[in-house]
């Protein structure tokens, strides 16, 4: 399945999508259910997906990748998140940073690309988020 976020085209593996049981999924809310305990001391908030800059990456499985730290495969991560959508599980929010005024998009995603792109594929219009930090911003490390 080919999808688009702003001007970025990305692929969802049709076989993985079907195996996850998502063929007839229709969201019953504007975002997935958020795990409010995932980031103690941080209050999750909802953001319009359209306000987030696309994460432009092409990995071994399109925008999806294996998690080196845990050894979890891209397919397993993909399936686990979609199973959470289907069961309405509480799922951790993504991490965002507010872009400078005048930027093309209001937010930049710094952690949670799987949840982000699967939210788009599932038809959610919003995504739960917490404030993150941009590891590519040298100013973020200076203070």
């Amino acid at each position: 399945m080919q999808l688009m976020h702003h001007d970025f085209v990305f692929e969802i593996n049709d076989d993985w999508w079907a195996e996850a049981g998502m063929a007839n999924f229709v969201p019953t809310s504007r975002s997935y259910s958020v795990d409010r305990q995932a980031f103690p001391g941080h209050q999750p908030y909802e953001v319009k997906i359209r306000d987030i800059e696309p994460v432009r990456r092409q990995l071994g499985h399109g925008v999806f990748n294996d998690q080196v730290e845990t050894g979890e495969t891209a397919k397993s991560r993909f399936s686990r998140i979609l199973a959470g959508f289907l069961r309405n599980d509480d799922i951790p929010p993504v991490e965002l940073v507010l872009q400078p005024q005048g930027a093309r998009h209001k937010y930049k995603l710094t952690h949670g690309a799987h949840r982000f792109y699967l939210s788009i594929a599932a038809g959610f219009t919003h995504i739960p988020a917490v404030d993150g930090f941009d590891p590519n911003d040298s100013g973020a490390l200076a203070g």
Side-chain angles (χ1 to χ4, degrees):
M1 160 179 15
Q2 194 172 68
L3 299 162
M4 183 175 244
H5 178 60
H6 295 295
D7 63 345
F8 181 67
V9 176
F10 64 100
E11 295 276 338
I12 297 287
N13 184 303
D14 292 322
D15 293 334
W16 293 4
W17 187 259
E19 287 173 26
M22 294 294 289
N24 297 312
F25 180 79
V26 176
T28 58
S29 60
R30 61 189 198 172
S31 72
Y32 62 76
S33 182
V34 64
D35 178 354
R36 298 192 174 281
Q37 307 306 314
F39 291 89
H42 294 272
Q43 183 61 38
Y45 51 93
E46 274 191 350
V47 172
K48 294 175 186 172
I49 288 174
R50 70 173 182 239
D51 289 343
I52 302 172
E53 177 181 344
V55 179
R56 299 176 190 283
R57 63 189 209 174
Q58 291 298 324
L59 303 169
H61 303 283
V63 293
F64 305 103
N65 63 323
D66 297 338
Q67 190 171 37
V68 176
E69 298 85 23
T70 65
E72 188 176 19
T73 65
K75 181 178 181 181
S76 174
R77 295 174 77 191
F78 182 102
S79 299
R80 179 175 42 81
I81 293 166
L82 294 179
F85 290 176
L86 287 166
R87 292 188 306 253
N88 201 34
D89 290 347
D90 291 342
I91 298 172
V94 299
E95 295 176 47
L96 301 175
V97 293
L98 190 61
Q99 296 278 63
Q101 190 166 354
R104 188 169 178 197
H105 301 96
K106 187 172 182 178
Y107 298 100
K108 177 179 179 180
L109 183 78
T110 59
H111 188 74
H114 286 76
R115 286 165 277 160
F116 176 68
Y117 281 115
L118 290 173
S119 289
I120 294 169
F124 293 118
T125 58
H126 292 68
I127 194 163
V130 293
D131 294 332
F133 75 96
D134 186 351
N136 298 319
D137 180 5
S138 59
L141 304 175

